Amino acid sequence: MTMSVAVIKTYVKACSQSTGTKCGIVENQSEQELDSVHTAANKKVFQGEIRVLEALAASGLRSVRYAMEVPNLTQIIANDVSHQAVESMKRNIKHNKLEGIIIPSKEEAALLMYQHRSFSRRFHVVDLDPYGSPCQFLDAAVQAVHDGGLLLVTCTDMAVLCGNSSETCRAKYGAVSLKMKSSHEMALRIVLQTIESHANRYGRYIVPLLSLSADFYVRVFVKIHTSPTIVKQSTSKLAMVFLCSGCETYNLQYLGKCIEKEKGFKFSPGDGPPVERLCLQCQHKHQIGGPIWAANLHDKHFLSSMLQQIGNEEHSYGTAKRMIGILNVILEELEDCPLYYSLDRLCAVVHCITPSLLQFRSAILNAGYKVSLSHTNRTSIKTDAPASILWDIIREWTKQHPVKRKLEEGSPAKVILSKEPSIKVSFKVRHDANPISRQQSLLRFQVNPEPHWGPKARAKASLCLNEQIEKQWRKQGKKIKMKDDHLKEYPCKKIKMGECTFGDQCKYSHELEEKEHQTKCEIKENDSSPCTTSVKEPC
């Protein structure tokens, strides 16, 4: 929430201080000028009201923070379909004396946004923070934002986005997710691709300002612009991912090509495939995922302004140190290098000891390539070097530090290490291999604040707190109880021997044995010989 406040504050300030036409309104512009609207977006300013929509507001605390911390906001609509949530909003709004700014609303979120599609009713900022996937709201959201306006989207269904259920990911987001070390960045790129595809249907496109993976969710901040001509370039911003099932080497195949000419742009389908039938590194098959957003994840000029704004008002943010650290890491990330490798995973493939991050980064720099971290992974290797160079570095490392275990024939490790390095590798540590954010001892990667940290259960508005706690206690151990009840279908073996001491607490059935014993006793009623069956109680 704090990062959202900082983004909106920087965005509103940039628009308010610039000069030009009214933000979101393009008057008397030719088609050619409209096509270049994304380069002139910062020259537009807000004139009049600045309207914000929190479509899924719950108790409205986020809207309260926006109203109290972001200057120049004239109206915030806090919406939720739950009656109890709206009543809670009203109490929070009244308590903070914000009746003139925040308007509570009880509507279905998508319907409310569809009602604001007309140009005069659009919002300058729309915030979507659902429980799980936001896909059902995106079609309405991209239409309800002003031209040049800001859309904030959160996704908490990380298991789906990170490859645990690729078929569900395709159904929701229109892209196949893959299990790989860079899955958190891939999750960001899948979400951006989804928003872009919804916007393209209405002649609109996105410009990402900040794409963030933190804790157990991803959150993206994008500008929405209108230009049917620029929408044609979207195909060249998307790519399929070919992932080796053995060594996890990945390759991208762009869906289209956009070549700039004197009179405009020439568009054509992409060339492919970018890989052979088997991986060149380990001779294993490939998996195919995507499409993903393959353009830039961030606007670094905007992030520099945001970092300056946070530094000037550090006392206003409770998590300022974490925000400054993660923004510095993002500013250090290489552009035009989608996805990344993980150093520990590269070494795990060939079963070798792991070099220090400085040694491996130095080897890449000594080979003449660029390298950076990703804010999504503390051991990430984001680089413009081809995969063959990375594996050559690993091969040289294993020569200096031999693998101790025996490698199986045909395994990725055996195939990779059977080849000789094609370049000269140097592990001499360089000063520029150490990121500036690390030299400054910034808080770059947050540790879990408590055990079992993660998303909690979906809130139930229909239950009061006491009822909810009582239900949790009642349902605790439900699966174990069901399992024990299932065992009641089977007879207790110990009761046949007269050894069962559990009585009614026994997981197995005593009724079957008692019925069998009763039947035998009835048969022997006319028999003078005593009953010899073994049960807990005599006949």
Side-chain angles (χ1 to χ4, degrees):
M1 188 184 299
T2 308
M3 187 71 79
S4 302
V5 171
V7 170
I8 297 176
K9 188 180 291 188
T10 305
Y11 170 74
V12 171
K13 183 178 179 181
C15 291
S16 299
Q17 290 181 347
S18 58
T19 59
T21 59
K22 181 177 178 180
C23 184
I25 298 181
V26 182
E27 297 177 350
N28 301 323
Q29 286 188 317
S30 64
E31 183 178 353
Q32 184 177 1
E33 291 172 331
L34 185 62
D35 292 342
S36 59
V37 68
H38 65 287
T39 61
N42 290 330
K43 295 182 180 179
K44 299 177 181 179
V45 296
F46 288 121
Q47 292 180 355
E49 64 177 11
I50 301 174
R51 302 176 64 241
V52 178
L53 169 66
E54 188 184 2
L56 305 159
S59 61
L61 294 182
R62 187 186 300 248
S63 294
V64 169
R65 285 201 61 178
Y66 288 166
M68 298 182 68
E69 300 181 37
V70 181
N72 302 325
L73 297 185
T74 54
Q75 185 185 82
I76 301 175
I77 296 181
N79 177 75
D80 202 285
V81 73
S82 168
H83 173 74
Q84 294 181 359
V86 174
E87 292 301 315
S88 179
M89 280 183 219
K90 293 178 180 178
R91 291 193 295 270
N92 289 327
I93 294 169
K94 183 178 180 180
H95 176 76
N96 291 279
K97 301 178 181 179
L98 297 171
E99 294 90 338
I101 299 178
I102 303 177
I103 301 174
S105 168
K106 184 182 179 297
E107 288 279 358
E108 199 281 321
L111 179 59
L112 176 63
M113 289 185 285
Y114 279 130
Q115 292 171 350
H116 288 77
R117 288 180 296 176
S118 62
F119 185 82
S120 60
R121 302 191 66 191
R122 290 176 179 173
F123 299 98
H124 300 99
V125 179
V126 173
D127 192 335
L128 290 178
D129 189 1
Y131 186 94
S133 172
C135 293
Q136 58 184 318
F137 308 108
L138 292 179
D139 184 79
V142 296
Q143 300 180 70
V145 182
H146 260 299
D147 193 25
L150 187 63
L151 175 62
L152 296 72
V153 179
T154 302
C155 305
T156 60
D157 53 339
M158 292 300 291
V160 172
L161 287 167
C162 291
N164 283 0
S165 184
S166 57
E167 65 283 353
T168 304
C169 185
R170 193 222 60 82
K172 289 183 176 181
Y173 295 92
V176 175
S177 56
L178 296 173
K179 277 190 176 181
M180 55 192 305
K181 272 297 184 178
S182 58
S183 58
H184 283 255
E185 181 177 321
M186 189 173 186
L188 286 170
R189 295 184 179 276
I190 287 175
V191 174
L192 290 174
Q193 174 272 149
T194 305
I195 301 174
E196 174 80 350
S197 66
H198 281 283
N200 288 167
R201 297 166 192 168
Y202 305 100
R204 315 193 82 181
Y205 64 98
I206 68 171
V207 177
L209 298 181
L210 172 63
S211 305
L212 188 65
S213 173
D215 298 330
F216 49 83
Y217 64 91
V218 293
R219 186 158 172 84
V220 297
F221 307 80
V222 300
K223 277 186 177 181
I224 303 290
H225 294 287
T226 302
S227 174
T229 303
I230 294 182
V231 166
K232 296 179 182 178
Q233 300 178 16
S234 295
T235 308
S236 61
K237 301 175 185 176
L238 305 178
M240 302 298 292
V241 182
F242 287 78
L243 177 67
C244 175
S245 59
C247 63
E248 297 187 13
T249 298
Y250 64 84
N251 291 272
L252 300 184
Q253 177 181 338
Y254 286 83
L255 298 186
K257 293 187 293 184
C258 178
I259 303 173
E260 187 174 2
K261 301 239 174 179
E262 294 181 0
K263 297 183 179 180
F265 293 93
K266 180 181 179 181
F267 305 99
S268 60
D271 299 327
V275 295
E276 301 292 337
R277 187 178 69 87
L278 298 177
C279 175
L280 296 177
Q281 308 302 326
C282 68
Q283 296 299 301
H284 279 64
K285 294 181 180 180
H286 292 91
Q287 298 175 341
I288 304 176
I292 64 171
W293 176 265
N296 292 339
L297 291 175
H298 322 282
D299 182 337
K300 293 194 173 182
H301 176 74
F302 177 86
L303 296 185
S304 297
S305 301
M306 182 177 167
L307 195 59
Q308 183 179 3
Q309 183 265 326
I310 295 173
N312 294 337
E313 303 178 9
E314 189 171 344
H315 61 280
S316 301
Y317 302 102
T319 57
K321 291 184 178 180
R322 182 185 181 188
M323 294 167 64
I324 292 173
I326 197 169
L327 288 176
N328 274 279
V329 174
I330 290 174
L331 286 171
E332 293 171 350
E333 286 185 11
L334 288 177
E335 297 181 317
D336 300 323
C337 293
L339 306 182
Y340 57 83
Y341 292 95
S342 176
L343 179 56
D344 52 353
R345 182 55 189 163
L346 289 173
C347 295
V349 170
V350 297
H351 308 293
C352 70
I353 63 173
T354 305
S356 70
L357 201 57
L358 289 181
Q359 288 176 310
F360 199 85
R361 286 167 59 96
S362 297
I364 295 175
L365 294 171
N366 291 330
Y369 297 95
K370 299 177 182 178
V371 65
S372 76
L373 287 171
S374 168
H375 76 279
T376 64
N377 191 325
R378 63 175 63 247
T379 63
S380 54
I381 300 293
K382 183 181 280 286
T383 178
D384 59 348
S388 58
I389 298 298
L390 299 183
W391 289 118
D392 280 343
I393 295 174
I394 292 293
R395 292 184 184 103
E396 183 63 31
W397 177 258
T398 55
K399 284 187 174 182
Q400 301 178 18
H401 305 81
V403 178
K404 296 182 180 180
R405 64 182 294 178
K406 183 178 180 180
L407 303 178
E408 298 180 2
E409 289 295 331
S411 65
K414 184 72 172 180
V415 177
I416 290 172
L417 297 182
S418 64
K419 302 176 184 178
E420 290 294 322
S422 60
I423 62 169
K424 185 177 180 181
V425 178
S426 171
F427 290 99
K428 183 179 179 181
V429 175
R430 299 171 45 143
H431 178 72
D432 55 350
N434 191 14
I436 297 177
S437 59
R438 184 171 182 267
Q439 296 178 26
Q440 297 176 348
S441 301
L442 299 178
L443 181 58
R444 303 178 301 161
F445 301 98
Q446 179 79 356
V447 297
N448 290 345
E450 60 184 16
H452 313 296
W453 172 250
K456 307 304 181 185
R458 183 194 295 266
K460 304 293 185 183
S462 60
L463 294 177
C464 68
L465 182 61
N466 292 335
E467 291 176 345
Q468 197 168 3
I469 294 174
E470 189 274 333
K471 183 178 179 181
Q472 290 175 352
W473 279 103
R474 190 173 68 252
K475 296 293 185 180
Q476 191 170 8
K478 179 181 177 182
K479 292 184 178 180
I480 298 176
K481 293 176 183 177
M482 291 176 61
K483 182 179 178 181
D484 292 347
D485 291 343
H486 179 67
L487 296 177
K488 286 290 186 181
E489 299 178 5
Y490 302 96
C492 176
K493 294 182 179 179
K494 289 188 176 182
I495 196 175
K496 293 182 178 181
M497 310 295 295
E499 299 176 356
C500 185
T501 59
F502 292 102
D504 294 338
Q505 301 298 322
C506 183
K507 297 179 181 179
Y508 296 92
S509 174
H510 288 187
E511 294 181 1
L512 298 177
E513 294 302 320
E514 291 173 356
K515 289 181 179 178
E516 182 181 354
H517 169 65
Q518 184 178 1
T519 303
K520 290 182 179 180
C521 289
E522 290 176 353
I523 294 175
K524 294 180 177 286
E525 277 182 356
N526 299 324
D527 193 343
S528 59
S529 61
C531 177
T532 59
T533 55
S534 297
V535 291
K536 286 178 60 179
E537 308 245 335
C539 296

